[in-house]
Amino acid sequence: MCILCAQFCGGNFGEAGLKILVTGGAGFIGSALIRYLLERTDHDVVNVDKLSYSGSRATLSAINNSPRHLFEQQDICDGDALERIFASQRPDAVMHLAAESHVDRSIDRPADFIQSNIVGTYQLLETALAYFRASDEKARKRFRFHHISTDEVYGALAPEGPAFTETTAYAPNSPYAASKAASDHLVHAWHRTYGLPVVLSNCSNNYGPFQFPEKLIPLCILKAIRGEPIPVYGRGENVRDWLFVEDHAEALYRVLSDGRIGERYNVGGDCELSNLELVKKLCAVLDEQRPDDPVVPHSKLITYVTDRPGHDFRYAIDAGKIQNELGWRPTTDFEPGLHKTVSWYLDNLEWCRTVTQGEYAGERLGLRD
Ligand code: NAD
Ligand code: DAU
């Protein structure tokens, strides 16, 4: 129940033993969310993921044995497959994370982003709406469609400007951000036009275990321990707001359970760092944990490389709404979160090897053995 005013919530998802359909659950945030749901709630999970290059069975190994987790390898663009899954599984809610998620890749190959992020979201909305309309009144009252999005839809902030709020105008700059903005608009339209009970959340940069090693933190860890150059775009001055992925999972469940229908909630770590500050902190943790690596101190490996085209200068989230309405706050500070993350990667180099065997990781990231 909403801690502010139950009557504004338009229903309460907080019943026990429900079934949640999670899309993108074989990826970084989706798998953290499923671990959260299995460990911290008694809900069952249906995980729909096509296993693109960034989704892997290896990521699911810790949850696959749970009788409360069912994995369906399917593309969300396949309407017939979605209809079959909704009809057979009868979910009480959808948490939609499946997406192409990497900005650099969206610059190289935008078509995949249009397909999965826009067409895929459209297909999921259509299937969910038909299912919602055919459900009985009790099921309709409970049903939620939670769309998981990003702060990148708001565009770039100046160095000193105020952080993004839920009313900041959309101004996406990369093909990835534009495709997520489009999907957010579709979700909003399916609520306003067709009455689908949706909630949205827009989050800042996540870090933690199981992030595909094309993203800044895991990429730097793997490069640094091999004694290879750590690529910092431009002068490393761009700023991101970092949040530990388990805190995001908790926020997502709060939004699903208690968020007001039709509302969006910004989620962030209140932890702004320039990329150079972050990479230096990472190198210091590696100096402690890997004193015998080929190049120590690891910061000697920091190398400035050509900037990302259209690189957004700064993201920062004002998380006041989710804090005040839903009582959510991050619980993992950046330094312990970073230590935990580095330790996880060092203990899971086999996972890194497994997920980077594909064409993209091998050729673009230079990480294949
Ligand atoms: P990820 O790339 O690690 O995982 C995405 C998952 O979606 C993969 O398992 C992939 O196989 C699956 N997928 C992609 N296209 C699909 C399709 N057409 N059908 C079925 N499955 C498909 O991404 P992530 O970092 O875990 O991000 C998850 C979501 O959270 C995305 O919607 C992203 O926009 C959003 N988000 C990410 C961050 C972040 O910092 N990583 C921050 C805010 C929001
Ligand atoms: O803000 C939320 C977004 O955060 C999510 O929506 C995206 O899915 C997620 O990928 C992330 O986007 P970023 O572009 O911010 O993340 P990335 O890890 O790719 O880059 C973080 C910063 O580091 C960014 O300013 C670019 C820079 N960078 C990145 C890479 C891969 C480098 O300097 N060198 C690199 O090699």
Side-chain angles (χ1 to χ4, degrees), residues 1 21 37 64 75 85 110 129 157 167 199 226 228 234 251 282-283 296 301 312:
M1 191 69 70
L21 190 157
L37 292 171
N64 250 346
D75 190 329
I85 293 168
L129 180 63
L157 289 169
T167 55
V199 280
R226 294 165 180 225
E228 293 173 4
L282 184 58
C283 287
V296 175
L301 294 165
D312 283 339

Side-chain angles (χ1 to χ4, degrees), residues 23-31 48-56 74-77 96-102 112 115-117 120 147-151 176 180 201-207 210-212 214-215 242 248:
T23 71
F28 167 48
I29 301 172
S31 65
V48 179
D49 194 301
K50 78 169 183 184
L51 298 182
S52 74
Y53 77 96
S54 71
S56 171
Q74 290 295 348
D75 190 329
I76 55 162
C77 300
H96 175 36
L97 296 95
E100 292 287 339
S101 70
H102 187 42
D112 294 344
Q115 185 64 15
S116 285
N117 300 3
H147 179 62
I148 284 81
S149 192
T150 170
D151 59 1
Y176 162 70
K180 290 296 292 186
S201 54
N202 295 77
C203 189
S204 64
N205 284 63
N206 284 215
Y207 69 100
F210 292 106
Q211 187 169 33
F212 191 82
E214 65 190 342
K215 306 283 172 74
W242 293 93
H248 189 194

Side-chain angles (χ1 to χ4, degrees), residues 151-152 155 157 164 205 239-241 272 312-316:
D151 59 1
E152 301 207 9
L157 289 169
F164 301 129
N205 284 63
V239 173
R240 297 292 181 264
D241 176 357
E272 287 187 59
D312 283 339
F313 182 73
R314 172 177 166 241
Y315 305 139

Side-chain angles (χ1 to χ4, degrees), residues 118-332:
I118 304 178
V119 178
T121 299
Y122 159 74
Q123 199 59 67
L124 190 65
L125 283 166
E126 280 291 75
T127 310
L129 180 63
Y131 169 78
F132 172 73
R133 283 179 165 165
S135 299
D136 62 31
E137 197 188 333
K138 188 166 173 238
R140 281 206 304 277
K141 189 154 189 290
R142 192 166 52 212
F143 190 76
R144 294 286 183 281
F145 185 106
H146 181 177
H147 179 62
I148 284 81
S149 192
T150 170
D151 59 1
E152 301 207 9
V153 298
Y154 299 122
L157 289 169
E160 301 301 334
F164 301 129
T165 69
E166 288 79 2
T167 55
T168 301
Y170 273 34
N173 290 315
S174 70
Y176 162 70
S179 69
K180 290 296 292 186
S183 68
D184 293 11
H185 290 318
L186 290 175
V187 171
H188 176 74
W190 258 243
H191 170 61
R192 288 296 296 252
T193 307
Y194 304 115
L196 190 68
V198 308
V199 280
L200 292 93
S201 54
N202 295 77
C203 189
S204 64
N205 284 63
N206 284 215
Y207 69 100
F210 292 106
Q211 187 169 33
F212 191 82
E214 65 190 342
K215 306 283 172 74
L216 181 65
I217 290 180
L219 182 76
C220 291
I221 295 171
L222 296 189
K223 296 275 187 194
I225 64 175
R226 294 165 180 225
E228 293 173 4
I230 296 175
V232 171
Y233 296 163
R235 300 300 303 163
E237 289 163 345
N238 300 62
V239 173
R240 297 292 181 264
D241 176 357
W242 293 93
L243 177 68
F244 192 59
V245 68
E246 291 171 14
D247 280 328
H248 189 194
E250 161 84 28
L252 293 177
Y253 186 61
R254 293 274 181 104
V255 171
L256 178 79
S257 306
D258 297 334
R260 286 183 286 147
I261 290 174
E263 291 288 318
R264 74 171 62 251
Y265 295 86
N266 280 356
V267 184
D270 197 16
C271 175
E272 287 187 59
L273 291 170
S274 75
N275 293 335
L276 190 57
E277 285 172 321
L278 183 151
V279 171
K280 283 184 174 166
K281 284 178 188 287
L282 184 58
C283 287
V285 176
L286 285 167
D287 291 345
E288 277 171 35
Q289 298 199 14
R290 302 270 298 196
D292 300 325
D293 274 347
V295 179
V296 175
H298 295 85
S299 57
K300 279 194 201 158
L301 294 165
I302 292 174
T303 307
Y304 298 104
V305 300
T306 308
D307 209 351
R308 171 185 282 175
H311 196 174
D312 283 339
F313 182 73
R314 172 177 166 241
Y315 305 139
I317 283 278
D318 177 341
K321 181 173 173 179
I322 189 171
Q323 288 176 4
N324 296 333
E325 279 193 22
L326 307 184
W328 174 86
R329 270 180 184 69
T331 58
T332 306

